[in-house]
PDB file of all heavy atoms in Angstrom:
ATOM      1  N   ARG X   1       0.839  -1.197   0.000  1.00 96.00           N
ATOM      2  CA  ARG X   1       0.000   0.000   0.000  1.00 96.00           C
ATOM      3  C   ARG X   1       0.877   1.251   0.000  1.00 96.00           C
ATOM      4  O   ARG X   1       1.921   1.295   0.645  1.00 96.00           O
ATOM      5  CB  ARG X   1      -0.918   0.007   1.225  1.00 96.00           C
ATOM      6  CG  ARG X   1      -1.957  -1.116   1.217  1.00 96.00           C
ATOM      7  CD  ARG X   1      -2.917  -0.973   2.385  1.00 96.00           C
ATOM      8  NE  ARG X   1      -3.643   0.303   2.325  1.00 96.00           N
ATOM      9  CZ  ARG X   1      -4.712   0.515   1.564  1.00 96.00           C
ATOM     10  NH1 ARG X   1      -5.184  -0.441   0.798  1.00 96.00           N
ATOM     11  NH2 ARG X   1      -5.326   1.695   1.584  1.00 96.00           N
ATOM     12  N   CYS X   2       0.443   2.246  -0.739  1.00 95.00           N
ATOM     13  CA  CYS X   2       1.173   3.509  -0.775  1.00 95.00           C
ATOM     14  C   CYS X   2       0.233   4.619  -1.215  1.00 95.00           C
ATOM     15  O   CYS X   2      -0.781   4.370  -1.879  1.00 95.00           O
ATOM     16  CB  CYS X   2       2.378   3.425  -1.705  1.00 95.00           C
ATOM     17  SG  CYS X   2       1.966   3.051  -3.413  1.00 95.00           S
ATOM     18  N   GLU X   3       0.573   5.831  -0.845  1.00 94.00           N
ATOM     19  CA  GLU X   3      -0.235   6.992  -1.201  1.00 94.00           C
ATOM     20  C   GLU X   3       0.303   7.721  -2.424  1.00 94.00           C
ATOM     21  O   GLU X   3      -0.442   8.385  -3.135  1.00 94.00           O
ATOM     22  CB  GLU X   3      -0.302   7.965  -0.026  1.00 94.00           C
ATOM     23  CG  GLU X   3      -1.002   7.398   1.210  1.00 94.00           C
ATOM     24  CD  GLU X   3      -0.988   8.384   2.362  1.00 94.00           C
ATOM     25  OE1 GLU X   3      -0.331   9.450   2.217  1.00 94.00           O
ATOM     26  OE2 GLU X   3      -1.610   8.105   3.394  1.00 94.00           O
ATOM     27  N   ARG X   4       1.619   7.600  -2.644  1.00 96.00           N
ATOM     28  CA  ARG X   4       2.239   8.311  -3.759  1.00 96.00           C
ATOM     29  C   ARG X   4       3.315   7.436  -4.392  1.00 96.00           C
ATOM     30  O   ARG X   4       4.032   6.714  -3.698  1.00 96.00           O
ATOM     31  CB  ARG X   4       2.835   9.635  -3.288  1.00 96.00           C
ATOM     32  CG  ARG X   4       1.776  10.651  -2.892  1.00 96.00           C
ATOM     33  CD  ARG X   4       2.375  11.918  -2.325  1.00 96.00           C
ATOM     34  NE  ARG X   4       3.030  11.684  -1.033  1.00 96.00           N
ATOM     35  CZ  ARG X   4       3.644  12.639  -0.332  1.00 96.00           C
ATOM     36  NH1 ARG X   4       3.685  13.877  -0.805  1.00 96.00           N
ATOM     37  NH2 ARG X   4       4.189  12.365   0.826  1.00 96.00           N
ATOM     38  N   VAL X   5       3.412   7.527  -5.710  1.00 97.00           N
ATOM     39  CA  VAL X   5       4.384   6.755  -6.481  1.00 97.00           C
ATOM     40  C   VAL X   5       5.137   7.703  -7.404  1.00 97.00           C
ATOM     41  O   VAL X   5       4.536   8.588  -8.026  1.00 97.00           O
ATOM     42  CB  VAL X   5       3.688   5.663  -7.322  1.00 97.00           C
ATOM     43  CG1 VAL X   5       4.676   5.027  -8.295  1.00 97.00           C
ATOM     44  CG2 VAL X   5       3.069   4.604  -6.429  1.00 97.00           C
ATOM     45  N   VAL X   6       6.452   7.516  -7.496  1.00 98.00           N
ATOM     46  CA  VAL X   6       7.275   8.259  -8.446  1.00 98.00           C
ATOM     47  C   VAL X   6       7.743   7.285  -9.530  1.00 98.00           C
ATOM     48  O   VAL X   6       8.408   6.293  -9.220  1.00 98.00           O
ATOM     49  CB  VAL X   6       8.505   8.900  -7.767  1.00 98.00           C
ATOM     50  CG1 VAL X   6       9.333   9.671  -8.798  1.00 98.00           C
ATOM     51  CG2 VAL X   6       8.073   9.819  -6.633  1.00 98.00           C
ATOM     52  N   LEU X   7       7.390   7.569 -10.777  1.00 98.00           N
ATOM     53  CA  LEU X   7       7.830   6.742 -11.898  1.00 98.00           C
ATOM     54  C   LEU X   7       9.164   7.290 -12.406  1.00 98.00           C
ATOM     55  O   LEU X   7       9.204   8.237 -13.183  1.00 98.00           O
ATOM     56  CB  LEU X   7       6.788   6.745 -13.008  1.00 98.00           C
ATOM     57  CG  LEU X   7       5.389   6.236 -12.638  1.00 98.00           C
ATOM     58  CD1 LEU X   7       4.471   6.253 -13.849  1.00 98.00           C
ATOM     59  CD2 LEU X   7       5.466   4.839 -12.040  1.00 98.00           C
ATOM     60  N   ALA X   8      10.251   6.688 -11.925  1.00 98.00           N
ATOM     61  CA  ALA X   8      11.600   7.115 -12.295  1.00 98.00           C
ATOM     62  C   ALA X   8      12.346   5.945 -12.916  1.00 98.00           C
ATOM     63  O   ALA X   8      13.519   5.715 -12.643  1.00 98.00           O
ATOM     64  CB  ALA X   8      12.351   7.634 -11.065  1.00 98.00           C
ATOM     65  N   ALA X   9      11.657   5.208 -13.783  1.00 97.00           N
ATOM     66  CA  ALA X   9      12.167   3.938 -14.299  1.00 97.00           C
ATOM     67  C   ALA X   9      12.748   4.043 -15.696  1.00 97.00           C
ATOM     68  O   ALA X   9      12.783   3.051 -16.431  1.00 97.00           O
ATOM     69  CB  ALA X   9      11.050   2.896 -14.271  1.00 97.00           C
ATOM     70  N   GLY X  10      13.196   5.217 -16.098  1.00 96.00           N
ATOM     71  CA  GLY X  10      13.883   5.358 -17.374  1.00 96.00           C
ATOM     72  C   GLY X  10      13.035   4.911 -18.548  1.00 96.00           C
ATOM     73  O   GLY X  10      11.890   5.337 -18.725  1.00 96.00           O
ATOM     74  N   ALA X  11      13.587   4.004 -19.349  1.00 97.00           N
ATOM     75  CA  ALA X  11      12.901   3.539 -20.552  1.00 97.00           C
ATOM     76  C   ALA X  11      11.614   2.789 -20.248  1.00 97.00           C
ATOM     77  O   ALA X  11      10.754   2.638 -21.119  1.00 97.00           O
ATOM     78  CB  ALA X  11      13.839   2.649 -21.363  1.00 97.00           C
ATOM     79  N   TRP X  12      11.457   2.306 -19.010  1.00 97.00           N
ATOM     80  CA  TRP X  12      10.259   1.557 -18.621  1.00 97.00           C
ATOM     81  C   TRP X  12       9.156   2.456 -18.048  1.00 97.00           C
ATOM     82  O   TRP X  12       8.067   1.981 -17.774  1.00 97.00           O
ATOM     83  CB  TRP X  12      10.617   0.496 -17.581  1.00 97.00           C
ATOM     84  CG  TRP X  12      11.327  -0.682 -18.159  1.00 97.00           C
ATOM     85  CD1 TRP X  12      10.781  -1.867 -18.579  1.00 97.00           C
ATOM     86  CD2 TRP X  12      12.735  -0.807 -18.371  1.00 97.00           C
ATOM     87  NE1 TRP X  12      11.760  -2.709 -19.045  1.00 97.00           N
ATOM     88  CE2 TRP X  12      12.982  -2.085 -18.925  1.00 97.00           C
ATOM     89  CE3 TRP X  12      13.822   0.029 -18.147  1.00 97.00           C
ATOM     90  CZ2 TRP X  12      14.252  -2.531 -19.260  1.00 97.00           C
ATOM     91  CZ3 TRP X  12      15.088  -0.414 -18.488  1.00 97.00           C
ATOM     92  CH2 TRP X  12      15.292  -1.681 -19.032  1.00 97.00           C
ATOM     93  N   ALA X  13       9.426   3.731 -17.853  1.00 97.00           N
ATOM     94  CA  ALA X  13       8.452   4.610 -17.202  1.00 97.00           C
ATOM     95  C   ALA X  13       7.142   4.678 -17.981  1.00 97.00           C
ATOM     96  O   ALA X  13       6.052   4.666 -17.392  1.00 97.00           O
ATOM     97  CB  ALA X  13       9.039   6.010 -17.026  1.00 97.00           C
ATOM     98  N   GLY X  14       7.236   4.745 -19.297  1.00 96.00           N
ATOM     99  CA  GLY X  14       6.023   4.820 -20.096  1.00 96.00           C
ATOM    100  C   GLY X  14       5.134   3.601 -19.931  1.00 96.00           C
ATOM    101  O   GLY X  14       3.908   3.711 -19.818  1.00 96.00           O
ATOM    102  N   ARG X  15       5.737   2.414 -19.897  1.00 96.00           N
ATOM    103  CA  ARG X  15       4.966   1.181 -19.702  1.00 96.00           C
ATOM    104  C   ARG X  15       4.324   1.148 -18.322  1.00 96.00           C
ATOM    105  O   ARG X  15       3.177   0.696 -18.175  1.00 96.00           O
ATOM    106  CB  ARG X  15       5.875  -0.033 -19.897  1.00 96.00           C
ATOM    107  CG  ARG X  15       6.328  -0.246 -21.330  1.00 96.00           C
ATOM    108  CD  ARG X  15       7.089  -1.543 -21.494  1.00 96.00           C
ATOM    109  NE  ARG X  15       7.445  -1.782 -22.882  1.00 96.00           N
ATOM    110  CZ  ARG X  15       8.074  -2.875 -23.305  1.00 96.00           C
ATOM    111  NH1 ARG X  15       8.417  -3.816 -22.431  1.00 96.00           N
ATOM    112  NH2 ARG X  15       8.368  -3.033 -24.587  1.00 96.00           N
ATOM    113  N   LEU X  16       5.045   1.618 -17.334  1.00 96.00           N
ATOM    114  CA  LEU X  16       4.471   1.641 -15.991  1.00 96.00           C
ATOM    115  C   LEU X  16       3.287   2.597 -15.917  1.00 96.00           C
ATOM    116  O   LEU X  16       2.280   2.308 -15.262  1.00 96.00           O
ATOM    117  CB  LEU X  16       5.541   2.055 -14.978  1.00 96.00           C
ATOM    118  CG  LEU X  16       6.630   1.011 -14.693  1.00 96.00           C
ATOM    119  CD1 LEU X  16       7.739   1.617 -13.846  1.00 96.00           C
ATOM    120  CD2 LEU X  16       6.051  -0.212 -14.002  1.00 96.00           C
ATOM    121  N   GLY X  17       3.382   3.733 -16.581  1.00 96.00           N
ATOM    122  CA  GLY X  17       2.266   4.653 -16.599  1.00 96.00           C
ATOM    123  C   GLY X  17       1.033   4.035 -17.232  1.00 96.00           C
ATOM    124  O   GLY X  17      -0.092   4.208 -16.748  1.00 96.00           O
ATOM    125  N   MET X  18       1.231   3.262 -18.299  1.00 95.00           N
ATOM    126  CA  MET X  18       0.105   2.603 -18.954  1.00 95.00           C
ATOM    127  C   MET X  18      -0.565   1.597 -18.022  1.00 95.00           C
ATOM    128  O   MET X  18      -1.791   1.434 -18.041  1.00 95.00           O
ATOM    129  CB  MET X  18       0.580   1.906 -20.226  1.00 95.00           C
ATOM    130  CG  MET X  18       0.999   2.859 -21.335  1.00 95.00           C
ATOM    131  SD  MET X  18       1.593   2.007 -22.819  1.00 95.00           S
ATOM    132  CE  MET X  18       0.088   1.173 -23.342  1.00 95.00           C
ATOM    133  N   LEU X  19       0.230   0.926 -17.178  1.00 93.00           N
ATOM    134  CA  LEU X  19      -0.345  -0.030 -16.228  1.00 93.00           C
ATOM    135  C   LEU X  19      -1.298   0.662 -15.252  1.00 93.00           C
ATOM    136  O   LEU X  19      -2.234   0.045 -14.745  1.00 93.00           O
ATOM    137  CB  LEU X  19       0.766  -0.730 -15.436  1.00 93.00           C
ATOM    138  CG  LEU X  19       1.669  -1.689 -16.218  1.00 93.00           C
ATOM    139  CD1 LEU X  19       2.782  -2.200 -15.314  1.00 93.00           C
ATOM    140  CD2 LEU X  19       0.877  -2.853 -16.798  1.00 93.00           C
ATOM    141  N   ALA X  20      -1.035   1.919 -14.998  1.00 91.00           N
ATOM    142  CA  ALA X  20      -1.891   2.677 -14.079  1.00 91.00           C
ATOM    143  C   ALA X  20      -2.999   3.422 -14.801  1.00 91.00           C
ATOM    144  O   ALA X  20      -3.781   4.131 -14.170  1.00 91.00           O
ATOM    145  CB  ALA X  20      -1.036   3.666 -13.282  1.00 91.00           C
ATOM    146  N   GLY X  21      -3.047   3.278 -16.126  1.00 91.00           N
ATOM    147  CA  GLY X  21      -4.069   3.989 -16.888  1.00 91.00           C
ATOM    148  C   GLY X  21      -3.707   5.422 -17.186  1.00 91.00           C
ATOM    149  O   GLY X  21      -4.591   6.252 -17.438  1.00 91.00           O
ATOM    150  N   ALA X  22      -2.417   5.733 -17.157  1.00 93.00           N
ATOM    151  CA  ALA X  22      -1.950   7.095 -17.421  1.00 93.00           C
ATOM    152  C   ALA X  22      -0.921   7.045 -18.547  1.00 93.00           C
ATOM    153  O   ALA X  22       0.286   7.038 -18.310  1.00 93.00           O
ATOM    154  CB  ALA X  22      -1.346   7.716 -16.163  1.00 93.00           C
ATOM    155  N   ASP X  23      -1.408   6.980 -19.766  1.00 93.00           N
ATOM    156  CA  ASP X  23      -0.529   6.875 -20.925  1.00 93.00           C
ATOM    157  C   ASP X  23       0.193   8.201 -21.158  1.00 93.00           C
ATOM    158  O   ASP X  23      -0.403   9.267 -21.084  1.00 93.00           O
ATOM    159  CB  ASP X  23      -1.363   6.494 -22.160  1.00 93.00           C
ATOM    160  CG  ASP X  23      -0.479   6.147 -23.347  1.00 93.00           C
ATOM    161  OD1 ASP X  23       0.723   5.916 -23.133  1.00 93.00           O
ATOM    162  OD2 ASP X  23      -0.992   6.111 -24.475  1.00 93.00           O
ATOM    163  N   LEU X  24       1.484   8.100 -21.432  1.00 95.00           N
ATOM    164  CA  LEU X  24       2.292   9.276 -21.730  1.00 95.00           C
ATOM    165  C   LEU X  24       3.297   8.875 -22.795  1.00 95.00           C
ATOM    166  O   LEU X  24       3.953   7.836 -22.683  1.00 95.00           O
ATOM    167  CB  LEU X  24       3.012   9.764 -20.471  1.00 95.00           C
ATOM    168  CG  LEU X  24       3.482  11.218 -20.445  1.00 95.00           C
ATOM    169  CD1 LEU X  24       2.307  12.171 -20.516  1.00 95.00           C
ATOM    170  CD2 LEU X  24       4.300  11.491 -19.196  1.00 95.00           C
ATOM    171  N   SER X  25       3.436   9.680 -23.803  1.00 92.00           N
ATOM    172  CA  SER X  25       4.313   9.341 -24.917  1.00 92.00           C
ATOM    173  C   SER X  25       5.781   9.530 -24.526  1.00 92.00           C
ATOM    174  O   SER X  25       6.263  10.652 -24.369  1.00 92.00           O
ATOM    175  CB  SER X  25       3.990  10.219 -26.133  1.00 92.00           C
ATOM    176  OG  SER X  25       4.862   9.920 -27.201  1.00 92.00           O
ATOM    177  N   LEU X  26       6.458   8.399 -24.356  1.00 97.00           N
ATOM    178  CA  LEU X  26       7.889   8.394 -24.060  1.00 97.00           C
ATOM    179  C   LEU X  26       8.571   7.456 -25.050  1.00 97.00           C
ATOM    180  O   LEU X  26       8.118   6.326 -25.245  1.00 97.00           O
ATOM    181  CB  LEU X  26       8.160   7.940 -22.632  1.00 97.00           C
ATOM    182  CG  LEU X  26       7.669   8.863 -21.520  1.00 97.00           C
ATOM    183  CD1 LEU X  26       7.781   8.178 -20.168  1.00 97.00           C
ATOM    184  CD2 LEU X  26       8.465  10.169 -21.510  1.00 97.00           C
ATOM    185  N   SER X  27       9.657   7.905 -25.651  1.00 97.00           N
ATOM    186  CA  SER X  27      10.322   7.137 -26.700  1.00 97.00           C
ATOM    187  C   SER X  27      11.745   6.785 -26.302  1.00 97.00           C
ATOM    188  O   SER X  27      12.613   7.674 -26.246  1.00 97.00           O
ATOM    189  CB  SER X  27      10.344   7.946 -28.003  1.00 97.00           C
ATOM    190  OG  SER X  27       9.040   8.282 -28.415  1.00 97.00           O
ATOM    191  N   PRO X  28      12.029   5.495 -26.030  1.00 98.00           N
ATOM    192  CA  PRO X  28      13.420   5.074 -25.790  1.00 98.00           C
ATOM    193  C   PRO X  28      14.177   5.013 -27.114  1.00 98.00           C
ATOM    194  O   PRO X  28      13.786   4.279 -28.028  1.00 98.00           O
ATOM    195  CB  PRO X  28      13.275   3.685 -25.167  1.00 98.00           C
ATOM    196  CG  PRO X  28      11.828   3.540 -24.807  1.00 98.00           C
ATOM    197  CD  PRO X  28      11.086   4.396 -25.789  1.00 98.00           C
ATOM    198  N   LEU X  29      15.243   5.788 -27.230  1.00 98.00           N
ATOM    199  CA  LEU X  29      16.015   5.870 -28.458  1.00 98.00           C
ATOM    200  C   LEU X  29      17.415   5.316 -28.233  1.00 98.00           C
ATOM    201  O   LEU X  29      18.093   5.672 -27.272  1.00 98.00           O
ATOM    202  CB  LEU X  29      16.109   7.322 -28.931  1.00 98.00           C
ATOM    203  CG  LEU X  29      14.776   8.039 -29.172  1.00 98.00           C
ATOM    204  CD1 LEU X  29      15.026   9.499 -29.542  1.00 98.00           C
ATOM    205  CD2 LEU X  29      13.970   7.349 -30.248  1.00 98.00           C
ATOM    206  N   ARG X  30      17.841   4.456 -29.143  1.00 98.00           N
ATOM    207  CA  ARG X  30      19.170   3.841 -29.041  1.00 98.00           C
ATOM    208  C   ARG X  30      20.257   4.815 -29.475  1.00 98.00           C
ATOM    209  O   ARG X  30      20.095   5.553 -30.446  1.00 98.00           O
ATOM    210  CB  ARG X  30      19.228   2.602 -29.939  1.00 98.00           C
ATOM    211  CG  ARG X  30      20.537   1.814 -29.835  1.00 98.00           C
ATOM    212  CD  ARG X  30      20.633   0.815 -30.958  1.00 98.00           C
ATOM    213  NE  ARG X  30      20.739   1.511 -32.253  1.00 98.00           N
ATOM    214  CZ  ARG X  30      20.506   0.921 -33.424  1.00 98.00           C
ATOM    215  NH1 ARG X  30      20.116  -0.344 -33.470  1.00 98.00           N
ATOM    216  NH2 ARG X  30      20.641   1.605 -34.553  1.00 98.00           N
ATOM    217  N   ARG X  31      21.368   4.798 -28.746  1.00 98.00           N
ATOM    218  CA  ARG X  31      22.554   5.564 -29.115  1.00 98.00           C
ATOM    219  C   ARG X  31      23.790   4.709 -28.901  1.00 98.00           C
ATOM    220  O   ARG X  31      23.929   4.062 -27.864  1.00 98.00           O
ATOM    221  CB  ARG X  31      22.660   6.861 -28.315  1.00 98.00           C
ATOM    222  CG  ARG X  31      23.982   7.600 -28.538  1.00 98.00           C
ATOM    223  CD  ARG X  31      23.938   9.029 -28.060  1.00 98.00           C
ATOM    224  NE  ARG X  31      23.067   9.833 -28.910  1.00 98.00           N
ATOM    225  CZ  ARG X  31      22.947  11.162 -28.805  1.00 98.00           C
ATOM    226  NH1 ARG X  31      23.627  11.821 -27.884  1.00 98.00           N
ATOM    227  NH2 ARG X  31      22.142  11.824 -29.601  1.00 98.00           N
ATOM    228  N   HIS X  32      24.693   4.726 -29.876  1.00 98.00           N
ATOM    229  CA  HIS X  32      25.921   3.925 -29.805  1.00 98.00           C
ATOM    230  C   HIS X  32      27.067   4.710 -29.180  1.00 98.00           C
ATOM    231  O   HIS X  32      27.174   5.935 -29.344  1.00 98.00           O
ATOM    232  CB  HIS X  32      26.350   3.479 -31.198  1.00 98.00           C
ATOM    233  CG  HIS X  32      25.592   2.304 -31.729  1.00 98.00           C
ATOM    234  ND1 HIS X  32      24.308   2.401 -32.177  1.00 98.00           N
ATOM    235  CD2 HIS X  32      25.953   0.992 -31.861  1.00 98.00           C
ATOM    236  CE1 HIS X  32      23.891   1.206 -32.595  1.00 98.00           C
ATOM    237  NE2 HIS X  32      24.863   0.334 -32.400  1.00 98.00           N
ATOM    238  N   LEU X  33      27.922   3.982 -28.487  1.00 98.00           N
ATOM    239  CA  LEU X  33      29.205   4.486 -28.010  1.00 98.00           C
ATOM    240  C   LEU X  33      30.282   3.531 -28.499  1.00 98.00           C
ATOM    241  O   LEU X  33      30.096   2.298 -28.467  1.00 98.00           O
ATOM    242  CB  LEU X  33      29.235   4.575 -26.490  1.00 98.00           C
ATOM    243  CG  LEU X  33      28.387   5.691 -25.878  1.00 98.00           C
ATOM    244  CD1 LEU X  33      28.168   5.443 -24.392  1.00 98.00           C
ATOM    245  CD2 LEU X  33      29.056   7.043 -26.095  1.00 98.00           C
ATOM    246  N   MET X  34      31.407   4.081 -28.940  1.00 97.00           N
ATOM    247  CA  MET X  34      32.479   3.259 -29.494  1.00 97.00           C
ATOM    248  C   MET X  34      33.820   3.684 -28.930  1.00 97.00           C
ATOM    249  O   MET X  34      34.142   4.877 -28.916  1.00 97.00           O
ATOM    250  CB  MET X  34      32.496   3.362 -31.021  1.00 97.00           C
ATOM    251  CG  MET X  34      31.180   2.948 -31.665  1.00 97.00           C
ATOM    252  SD  MET X  34      31.161   3.170 -33.444  1.00 97.00           S
ATOM    253  CE  MET X  34      29.370   3.114 -33.738  1.00 97.00           C
ATOM    254  N   GLN X  35      34.581   2.711 -28.483  1.00 96.00           N
ATOM    255  CA  GLN X  35      35.932   2.938 -27.992  1.00 96.00           C
ATOM    256  C   GLN X  35      36.895   2.799 -29.160  1.00 96.00           C
ATOM    257  O   GLN X  35      36.994   1.731 -29.769  1.00 96.00           O
ATOM    258  CB  GLN X  35      36.281   1.928 -26.895  1.00 96.00           C
ATOM    259  CG  GLN X  35      37.693   2.009 -26.367  1.00 96.00           C
ATOM    260  CD  GLN X  35      37.904   3.175 -25.425  1.00 96.00           C
ATOM    261  OE1 GLN X  35      36.979   3.562 -24.729  1.00 96.00           O
ATOM    262  NE2 GLN X  35      39.101   3.709 -25.384  1.00 96.00           N
ATOM    263  N   LEU X  36      37.582   3.894 -29.502  1.00 96.00           N
ATOM    264  CA  LEU X  36      38.513   3.903 -30.622  1.00 96.00           C
ATOM    265  C   LEU X  36      39.947   3.916 -30.105  1.00 96.00           C
ATOM    266  O   LEU X  36      40.259   4.629 -29.143  1.00 96.00           O
ATOM    267  CB  LEU X  36      38.284   5.133 -31.508  1.00 96.00           C
ATOM    268  CG  LEU X  36      36.855   5.409 -31.985  1.00 96.00           C
ATOM    269  CD1 LEU X  36      36.828   6.647 -32.871  1.00 96.00           C
ATOM    270  CD2 LEU X  36      36.277   4.210 -32.719  1.00 96.00           C
ATOM    271  N   VAL X  37      40.813   3.146 -30.746  1.00 95.00           N
ATOM    272  CA  VAL X  37      42.229   3.121 -30.389  1.00 95.00           C
ATOM    273  C   VAL X  37      43.055   3.254 -31.658  1.00 95.00           C
ATOM    274  O   VAL X  37      42.617   2.905 -32.753  1.00 95.00           O
ATOM    275  CB  VAL X  37      42.607   1.827 -29.641  1.00 95.00           C
ATOM    276  CG1 VAL X  37      41.905   1.755 -28.297  1.00 95.00           C
ATOM    277  CG2 VAL X  37      42.270   0.594 -30.473  1.00 95.00           C
ATOM    278  N   GLY X  38      44.261   3.791 -31.486  1.00 90.00           N
ATOM    279  CA  GLY X  38      45.146   3.969 -32.630  1.00 90.00           C
ATOM    280  C   GLY X  38      46.277   4.904 -32.271  1.00 90.00           C
ATOM    281  O   GLY X  38      46.491   5.244 -31.099  1.00 90.00           O
ATOM    282  N   GLU X  39      46.995   5.348 -33.272  1.00 83.00           N
ATOM    283  CA  GLU X  39      48.101   6.262 -33.050  1.00 83.00           C
ATOM    284  C   GLU X  39      47.587   7.688 -32.869  1.00 83.00           C
ATOM    285  O   GLU X  39      46.517   8.051 -33.346  1.00 83.00           O
ATOM    286  CB  GLU X  39      49.075   6.206 -34.232  1.00 83.00           C
ATOM    287  CG  GLU X  39      49.716   4.829 -34.429  1.00 83.00           C
ATOM    288  CD  GLU X  39      50.679   4.827 -35.594  1.00 83.00           C
ATOM    289  OE1 GLU X  39      50.811   5.875 -36.256  1.00 83.00           O
ATOM    290  OE2 GLU X  39      51.276   3.762 -35.848  1.00 83.00           O
ATOM    291  N   ASP X  40      48.384   8.477 -32.174  1.00 76.00           N
ATOM    292  CA  ASP X  40      48.087   9.912 -32.006  1.00 76.00           C
ATOM    293  C   ASP X  40      46.714  10.161 -31.403  1.00 76.00           C
ATOM    294  O   ASP X  40      45.972  11.050 -31.834  1.00 76.00           O
ATOM    295  CB  ASP X  40      48.208  10.640 -33.349  1.00 76.00           C
ATOM    296  CG  ASP X  40      49.590  10.517 -33.955  1.00 76.00           C
ATOM    297  OD1 ASP X  40      50.564  10.559 -33.184  1.00 76.00           O
ATOM    298  OD2 ASP X  40      49.676  10.384 -35.183  1.00 76.00           O
ATOM    299  N   MET X  41      46.379   9.371 -30.397  1.00 82.00           N
ATOM    300  CA  MET X  41      45.129   9.619 -29.689  1.00 82.00           C
ATOM    301  C   MET X  41      45.255  10.854 -28.804  1.00 82.00           C
ATOM    302  O   MET X  41      46.350  11.195 -28.350  1.00 82.00           O
ATOM    303  CB  MET X  41      44.768   8.408 -28.828  1.00 82.00           C
ATOM    304  CG  MET X  41      44.306   7.184 -29.612  1.00 82.00           C
ATOM    305  SD  MET X  41      42.648   7.349 -30.306  1.00 82.00           S
ATOM    306  CE  MET X  41      43.024   7.638 -32.035  1.00 82.00           C
ATOM    307  N   PRO X  42      44.144  11.554 -28.528  1.00 78.00           N
ATOM    308  CA  PRO X  42      44.201  12.749 -27.670  1.00 78.00           C
ATOM    309  C   PRO X  42      44.690  12.410 -26.267  1.00 78.00           C
ATOM    310  O   PRO X  42      44.460  11.315 -25.759  1.00 78.00           O
ATOM    311  CB  PRO X  42      42.744  13.216 -27.629  1.00 78.00           C
ATOM    312  CG  PRO X  42      42.105  12.612 -28.829  1.00 78.00           C
ATOM    313  CD  PRO X  42      42.804  11.310 -29.056  1.00 78.00           C
ATOM    314  N   ARG X  43      45.382  13.367 -25.651  1.00 74.00           N
ATOM    315  CA  ARG X  43      45.797  13.205 -24.262  1.00 74.00           C
ATOM    316  C   ARG X  43      44.570  13.290 -23.362  1.00 74.00           C
ATOM    317  O   ARG X  43      43.534  13.866 -23.723  1.00 74.00           O
ATOM    318  CB  ARG X  43      46.793  14.301 -23.865  1.00 74.00           C
ATOM    319  CG  ARG X  43      48.040  14.341 -24.727  1.00 74.00           C
ATOM    320  CD  ARG X  43      48.999  15.399 -24.192  1.00 74.00           C
ATOM    321  NE  ARG X  43      48.356  16.688 -24.060  1.00 74.00           N
ATOM    322  CZ  ARG X  43      48.242  17.563 -25.049  1.00 74.00           C
ATOM    323  NH1 ARG X  43      48.698  17.280 -26.249  1.00 74.00           N
ATOM    324  NH2 ARG X  43      47.644  18.721 -24.835  1.00 74.00           N
TER     325      ARG X  43
END
C-alpha cells in the first residue's frame, strides 16, 4: 500500500504509466558508443 508513487524507471516509465491507466508518450532511443584506439590519440 502507498499513497504516492514516483515513476523514475527510465525507458520503462512509459509502460508503468500505462499499467496505471496514465498513458504518456515516451520514446526510448538507441545511441551507440564506441571505444577507438590507434596512433596519435588525444591526451
Side-chain angles (χ1 to χ4, degrees):
R1 294 186 60 81
C2 60
E3 296 178 354
R4 291 175 293 179
V5 170
V6 180
L7 301 182
W12 285 266
R15 291 187 176 183
L16 288 171
M18 291 179 65
L19 292 175
D23 189 16
L24 202 64
S25 178
L26 293 170
S27 302
L29 303 176
R30 184 193 66 197
R31 172 164 291 187
H32 281 74
L33 288 164
M34 302 176 198
Q35 176 76 31
L36 309 181
V37 295
E39 298 181 358
D40 301 322
M41 288 287 105
R43 302 184 306 275

